[in-house]
């Protein structure tokens, strides 16, 4: 079995979980599949998946980094658009639901919330996956939850 | 909380999943393109740059440069007149204040010169240099004295620049001799002030980021095993400066003392060279260490103990990974208190040491070369034909030596050549030309660390410093050098404040204003410029010994009574001197 085939089989096993993760941390400009694909491509450009100790954690961190890079690029693009002038009045919000509140959080914060709340991973494990301190993970989770609660409460008030 | 989880679940399930196998194949194709991208750029960049260069050369009148000797890239197009105009090749702008950061030459003739603006590469032993395609100053122009670099061979190099404003570190790397640079960004949780990088080979490396060089409160150590594509956190708030690894697991680092790791930086053990616990100076972390050389279990460090306004230096060697140490300091250099330039040690090989001593300490005022080929037991001395203030010294063979010189003798025409080469083991030196921009550069308003004040950041000014609007500037212009000691100044001025102080180490004078309106010139008796100086670290102020006191000023009328009137403590957080309310003071008065 070649390394490429081994990598493909390994990736197939990880794909569903990675895609769900990417769907949460993705920037508005990228689909979850594109994000996974880009993270996988950058990983494969440097090494094989089977050579990694924990390929899932590695790919998850790569996904967050690609998402953050993309988000930075989007911000630069937005700044240029602002300089050019306002968007047409009929432009639509890409997240016309309460998901938009979630997507306003940074990819790192979303990653923390997803891994902790959905996958039930303790903060220590989340910090190991994302490569940051447990204290920083707790802080991000706390801030993310606080800002989400505030946004959701505001929406509820607006509906009433 | 359930609501949050549901929200995240909905986000995770949004969209339609693509076929995993197809996605993997797409990623594999893109990975191949990413790998190939460097090769494509290598062939494309010289051609594009050549076209741009020819166009600019044509616009500028087509006058060929007579002084430039930069070679075209080895696998690039044939030599053209454009390749003779490297300023055009690198962007066409004059590099101001450019200064070497790291230089390394290899025995095969390949080598690097990394400045605070550019990355230059040579294939012929430093005769000709080619600039990289990307200016290093593009992302962070003001990080001149904070740049660090790691060089593995003639092809692989990494340059790191802290970006304090955005709490991130920029890593520029190349694996093709500098023709193509990849820029990466690492975000961190504190303000980066100091970076250190070291690579064991082309893949395995370590990056240290800290908020201070000598006494960091926050730091992070990262490692990579894929040439810097991905960095992972190894340890936090531990040693992260002066990184020197001899393998993927074994390395040394500095910071608060000298430390050793044998597990890739996860845990560290403090080493205890002779004098490690010496205390009493103004720096509680003293002495500090610079790792000069490390090879396997052998290593040489420079220990610097700050005693206030002087620094005493010792060179220490170990052959058992820091368990035991031997003092290899040449006898002539022992017990010398230094206020300015320092001696530089280079290791030619095991037990083969060379020390170049600045002209200040030698009778001839020229640099003195000390040589030992028996592990520092005996030394021979020869006076060289030059007088430098050294920045770095290294040997590519026992005969061929290189050095970078600090900007000391700066006049209107610049500071003189910073890069020199010796073909006779360090006895005689010639300038290395062919590096456009470097020779004409000046260190105008470039901050330099003052070795005689570990707590201070001295600023050597060519022009008046950038003070707040309306602030009063005291002094002005570079006084030049006194006996080859560079003039270091520390200034502070504020408008509408009661404190305004400016003192000059070289002339031992200060001006003081209690109200920013009237000024008095006072004698500074605290700065160690002569034999009869007070040292602030000998003073008890208000009944306490305060190691952070950096200046004590005696007004002339009080000199006889030896009761200083004013004292300042340097606040490392604000980088400003703070006036003290001196009620009682007593200092040791040295006698001639």
């Amino acid at each position: 079995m070649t390394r490429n085939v081994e990598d493909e089989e390994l990736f197939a096993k990880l794909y569903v979980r990675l895609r769900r993760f990417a769907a949460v941390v993705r920037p508005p400009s990228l689909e979850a599949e594109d994000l996974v694909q880009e993270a996988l491509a950058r990983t494969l450009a440097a090494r094989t998946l089977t050579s990694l100790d924990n390929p899932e954690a590695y790919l998850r961190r790569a996904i967050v980094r690609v998402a953050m890079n993309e988000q930075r690029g989007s911000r630069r693009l937005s700044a240029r658009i602002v300089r050019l002038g306002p968007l047409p009045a009929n432009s639509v919000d890409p997240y016309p639901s309460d998901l938009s509140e979630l997507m306003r959080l940074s990819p790192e914060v979303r990653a923390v919330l997803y891994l902790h709340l959905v996958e039930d991973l303790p903060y220590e494990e989340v910090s190991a996956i994302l490569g940051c301190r447990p204290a920083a993970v707790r802080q991000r989770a706390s801030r993310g939850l606080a800002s989400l609660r505030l946004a959701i409460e505001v929406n509820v008030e607006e509906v009433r | 909380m359930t609501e949050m989880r549901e929200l995240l679940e909905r986000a995770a399930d949004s969209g339609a999943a693509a076929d995993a196998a197809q996605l993997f194949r797409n990623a594999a194709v893109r990975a191949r393109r990413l790998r190939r991208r460097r090769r494509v750029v290598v062939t494309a960049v010289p051609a594009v740059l050549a076209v741009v260069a020819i166009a600019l050369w044509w616009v500028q009148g087509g006058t060929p440069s007579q002084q430039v000797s930069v070679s075209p890239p080895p696998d690039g197009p044939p030599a053209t007149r454009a390749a003779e105009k490297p300023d055009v090749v690198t962007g066409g702008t004059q590099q101001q204040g450019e200064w070497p950061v790291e230089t390394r030459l290899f025995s095969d003739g390949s080598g690097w010169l990394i400045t605070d603006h550019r990355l230059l590469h040579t294939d012929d032993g430093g005769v000709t240099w080619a600039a990289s395609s990307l200016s290093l100053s593009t992302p962070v122009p003001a990080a001149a004295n904070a740049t660090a670099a790691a060089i593995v061979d003639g092809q692989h190099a990494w340059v790191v620049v802290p970006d304090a404003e955005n709490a991130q570190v920029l890593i520029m790397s190349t694996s093709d001799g500098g023709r193509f640079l990849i820029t990466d960004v690492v975000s961190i949780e504190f303000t980066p002030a100091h970076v250190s990088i070291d690579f064991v080979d082309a893949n395995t490396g370590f990056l240290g980021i800290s908020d201070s060089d000598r006494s960091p409160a926050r730091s992070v150590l990262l490692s990579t095993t894929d040439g810097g594509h991905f960095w992972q956190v190894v340890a936090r708030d531990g040693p992260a400066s002066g990184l020197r690894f001899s393998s993927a697991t074994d390395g040394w680092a500095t910071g608060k003392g000298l430390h050793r790791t044998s597990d890739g930086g996860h845990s560290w053990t403090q080493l205890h060279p002779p004098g490690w616990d010496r205390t009493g100076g103004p720096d509680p972390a003293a002495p500090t260490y610079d790792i000069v050389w490390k090879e396997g279990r052998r290593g040489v460090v420079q220990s610097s103990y700050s005693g206030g306004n002087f620094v005493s230096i010792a060179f220490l060697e170990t052959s058992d990974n820091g368990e035991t140490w031997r003092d290899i300091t040449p006898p002539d250099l022992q017990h010398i208190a230094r206020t300015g330039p320092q001696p530089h040690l280079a290791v030619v090989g095991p037990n083969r040491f060379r020390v170049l001593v600045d002209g200040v300490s030698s009778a001839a005022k020229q640099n003195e070369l000390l040589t030992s080929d028996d592990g520092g037991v005996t030394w021979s001395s020869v006076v060289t034909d030059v007088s430098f203030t050294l920045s770095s010294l290294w040997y590519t063979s026992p005969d061929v030596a290189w050095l970078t010189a600090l900007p000391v003798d700066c006049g209107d025409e610049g500071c003189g050549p910073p890069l020199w080469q010796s073909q006779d083991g360090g006895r005689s030196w010639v300038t290395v030309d062919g590096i456009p921009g470097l020779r004409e550069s000046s260190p105008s308003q470039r901050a330099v660390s003052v070795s005689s004040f570990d707590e201070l950041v001295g600023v050597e000014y060519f022009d008046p410093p950038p003070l707040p609007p309306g602030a009063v500037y005291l002094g002005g212009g570079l006084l030049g050098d006194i006996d080859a000691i560079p003039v270091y100044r520390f200034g502070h001025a504020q408008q509408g404040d009661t404190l305004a102080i400016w003192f000059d180490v070289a002339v031992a004078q200060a001006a003081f204003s209690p109200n920013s309106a009237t000024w008095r010139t006072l004698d500074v008796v605290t700065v160690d410029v002569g034999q009869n100086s007070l040292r602030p670290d000998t003073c008890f102020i208000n009944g306490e010994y305060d190691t952070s006191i950096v200046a004590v000023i005696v007004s002339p009328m009080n000199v006889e009574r030896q009761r200083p009137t004013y004292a300042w403590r340097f606040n490392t957080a604000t980088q400003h001197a703070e006036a003290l309310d001196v009620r009682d003071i007593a200092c040791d008065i040295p006698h001639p």
Side-chain angles (χ1 to χ4, degrees):
Chain A
M1 189 182 286
T2 64
R3 278 184 160 189
N4 207 25
V5 174
E6 285 177 355
D7 274 2
E8 188 171 347
E9 288 181 1
L10 179 57
F11 176 73
K13 288 176 189 164
L14 301 174
Y15 174 60
V16 174
R17 285 161 60 86
L18 289 174
R19 193 215 157 272
R20 280 172 58 82
F21 179 71
V24 174
V25 303
R26 74 185 179 92
S29 55
L30 269 187
E31 293 299 325
E33 288 73 21
D34 293 335
L35 184 54
V36 173
Q37 182 177 300
E38 183 63 16
L40 176 64
R42 292 189 190 191
T43 304
L44 292 175
R47 59 205 312 171
T48 61
L49 294 184
T50 47
S51 68
L52 295 165
D53 291 337
N54 187 343
E56 185 175 6
Y58 195 97
L59 284 168
R60 279 183 157 163
R61 202 182 304 173
I63 285 169
V64 173
R65 287 193 62 182
V66 171
M68 290 180 69
N69 287 344
E70 180 67 21
Q71 188 139 313
R72 277 194 209 103
S74 298
R75 280 203 205 105
R76 284 195 288 272
L77 182 63
S78 302
R80 290 191 197 109
I81 290 171
V82 167
R83 281 202 295 275
L84 288 172
L87 289 169
N90 60 353
S91 66
V92 292
D93 187 344
Y95 294 101
S97 71
D98 55 357
L99 285 180
S100 61
E101 308 300 346
L102 180 68
M103 291 302 174
R104 284 199 183 101
L105 302 177
S106 77
E108 269 185 323
V109 172
R110 278 181 268 152
V112 168
L113 292 178
Y114 177 81
L115 293 173
H116 183 60
L117 294 179
V118 177
E119 299 207 352
D120 289 329
L121 297 179
Y123 285 127
E124 286 70 24
E125 221 168 303
V126 175
S127 73
I129 290 173
L130 298 179
C132 48
R133 284 191 309 170
V137 167
R138 280 198 179 86
Q139 195 178 37
R140 280 172 195 157
S142 168
R143 284 182 185 167
L145 283 173
S147 97
L148 265 184
R149 277 197 197 100
L150 187 65
I152 289 170
E153 280 168 12
V154 168
N155 284 346
V156 171
E157 287 297 321
E158 284 173 354
V159 170
R160 283 176 186 164
Chain B
M1 199 64 78
T2 311
E3 196 175 2
M4 304 296 173
R5 188 178 296 117
E6 285 173 357
L7 184 63
L8 289 159
E9 292 272 14
R10 266 197 292 139
D13 292 333
S14 62
D19 176 57
Q22 183 60 48
L23 201 146
F24 182 89
R25 283 193 289 275
N26 291 347
V29 170
R30 173 142 172 73
R32 278 198 292 277
R33 282 182 187 156
L34 286 173
R35 282 196 293 265
R36 205 183 303 137
R37 194 167 142 193
R38 292 185 189 182
R39 290 197 292 273
V40 173
V41 173
V42 166
T43 54
V45 164
V48 171
L49 292 178
V51 171
V52 173
I54 290 169
L56 289 173
W57 172 76
W58 182 261
V59 168
Q60 290 173 359
T63 305
S65 169
Q66 299 299 320
Q67 298 175 338
V68 171
S69 57
V70 169
S71 64
D75 56 351
T80 65
R81 295 183 73 173
E84 296 174 354
K85 295 183 76 66
D87 275 353
V88 174
V89 173
T90 57
T93 55
Q94 178 78 20
Q95 307 290 352
Q96 293 296 324
E98 182 174 15
W99 210 252
V101 171
E102 181 87 31
T103 322
R104 191 82 63 83
L105 274 294
F106 297 93
S107 53
D108 65 354
S110 63
W112 300 89
L113 171 60
I114 297 173
T115 77
D116 48 11
H117 285 74
R118 291 181 295 171
L119 189 149
L120 298 128
H121 185 261
T122 180
D123 285 319
D124 54 13
V127 178
T128 58
W129 297 83
S132 70
S133 57
L134 182 66
S135 166
L136 299 181
S137 64
T138 303
V140 186
N145 62 340
T147 308
I151 296 167
V152 166
D153 53 34
Q155 299 300 305
H156 296 84
W158 293 260
V159 182
V160 193
V161 183
D163 179 2
E165 191 177 329
N166 298 305
Q168 62 187 19
V169 167
L170 303 166
I171 307 168
M172 283 149 279
S173 62
T174 178
S175 59
D176 58 9
R179 285 181 288 272
F180 180 58
L181 286 181
I182 297 171
T183 303
D184 203 356
V185 177
V186 172
S187 298
I188 53 175
E189 297 154 355
F190 55 86
T191 303
H194 178 77
V195 288
S196 175
I197 188 167
D198 191 37
F199 268 75
V200 178
D201 53 40
N203 293 317
T204 307
F206 296 85
L207 170 63
I209 307 166
S210 53
D211 60 357
S212 165
D213 180 8
R214 298 298 187 188
S215 302
R218 301 290 311 276
S219 67
V220 61
L221 178 69
L222 305 109
S223 72
T224 179
T225 55
D226 58 9
H229 291 284
F230 282 94
W231 293 91
Q232 59 186 3
V233 176
V234 176
R236 291 181 188 275
D237 298 338
S241 303
L243 298 175
R244 195 67 74 90
F245 278 78
S246 53
S247 72
T249 54
D250 294 326
W252 289 359
T254 61
K256 295 172 183 171
L258 180 65
H259 303 265
R260 174 183 77 194
T261 181
S262 56
D263 59 5
H266 291 279
S267 62
W268 293 87
T269 304
Q270 183 167 4
L271 301 177
H272 301 115
W276 71 274
D277 55 351
R278 190 176 175 185
T279 56
D283 182 0
T288 58
Y289 296 95
D290 292 299
I291 301 167
V292 179
W293 176 76
K294 187 173 187 322
E295 195 172 284
R297 295 175 63 80
R298 306 187 68 139
V300 174
V301 300
Q302 173 181 316
S303 158
S304 304
Y305 172 73
S306 169
N309 301 320
F310 67 88
V311 176
S312 62
I313 280 179
F315 297 117
L316 305 164
E317 190 209 24
T318 179
S319 55
D320 53 12
N321 209 16
E323 293 296 327
T324 58
W325 293 86
R326 200 163 55 87
D327 191 336
I328 58 167
T329 313
D332 292 348
L333 297 182
Q334 292 174 359
H335 314 300
I336 292 179
R338 295 179 178 280
T339 57
Q342 309 295 337
H344 281 256
L345 172 79
V347 179
V348 179
N351 293 324
R352 302 188 70 184
F353 308 128
R354 305 288 182 267
V355 175
L356 203 54
V357 188
D358 62 76
V360 178
S361 57
S362 67
K365 301 296 181 192
Q366 289 173 314
N367 292 78
E368 184 182 6
L369 177 70
L370 303 172
T371 302
S372 174
D373 288 321
D374 57 5
V377 177
T378 60
W379 293 85
S380 62
S381 168
V382 61
V383 176
T384 68
D385 62 348
V386 288
S387 177
F388 299 112
T389 300
L390 291 184
S391 173
S392 61
L393 169 73
W394 72 101
Y395 281 72
T396 48
S397 73
D399 290 330
V400 181
W402 299 77
L403 68 79
T404 52
L406 278 175
V408 176
D409 302 318
C410 297
D412 293 339
E413 296 176 355
C415 302
L419 186 63
W420 296 71
Q421 189 195 45
S422 171
Q423 298 279 357
D424 58 4
R427 292 174 181 80
S428 61
W429 296 83
V430 294
T431 63
V432 177
D433 293 325
I435 310 172
L438 217 58
R439 188 172 182 127
E440 294 80 15
S441 66
S442 74
S444 175
Q445 297 189 3
R446 177 178 182 272
V448 294
S449 295
V450 180
S451 57
S452 57
F453 282 98
D454 274 1
E455 302 87 349
L456 296 185
V457 174
V459 181
E460 189 174 2
Y461 288 117
F462 224 40
D463 305 311
L467 295 173
V472 178
Y473 169 62
L474 299 173
L478 189 68
L479 292 181
D481 56 353
I482 298 174
D483 289 340
I485 300 176
V487 176
Y488 292 134
R489 296 174 181 174
F490 170 65
H492 183 71
Q494 287 179 326
Q495 186 185 26
D497 202 333
T498 56
L499 173 65
I501 173 177
W502 185 272
F503 67 78
D504 191 306
V505 174
V507 297
Q509 282 193 334
F512 175 79
S513 170
N515 54 14
S516 295
T518 58
W519 297 87
R520 286 185 299 165
T521 301
L522 306 175
D523 291 336
V524 178
V525 292
T526 61
V527 183
D528 191 19
V529 293
Q531 296 297 317
N532 301 318
S533 304
L534 278 182
R535 282 178 20 212
D537 60 323
T538 67
C539 297
F540 283 78
I541 295 179
N542 300 337
E544 290 181 2
Y545 173 61
D546 190 338
T547 57
S548 63
I549 303 296
V550 294
V552 184
I553 294 181
V554 182
S555 66
M557 65 189 73
N558 281 342
V559 166
E560 290 182 2
R561 292 194 303 167
Q562 296 167 353
R563 287 185 60 83
T565 312
Y566 308 105
W568 283 263
R569 172 193 289 128
F570 189 72
N571 186 328
T572 53
T574 62
Q575 294 287 298
H576 285 149
E578 295 172 346
L580 289 176
D581 179 18
V582 181
R583 299 185 300 277
D584 179 45
I585 187 165
C587 304
D588 290 337
I589 310 294
H591 297 284

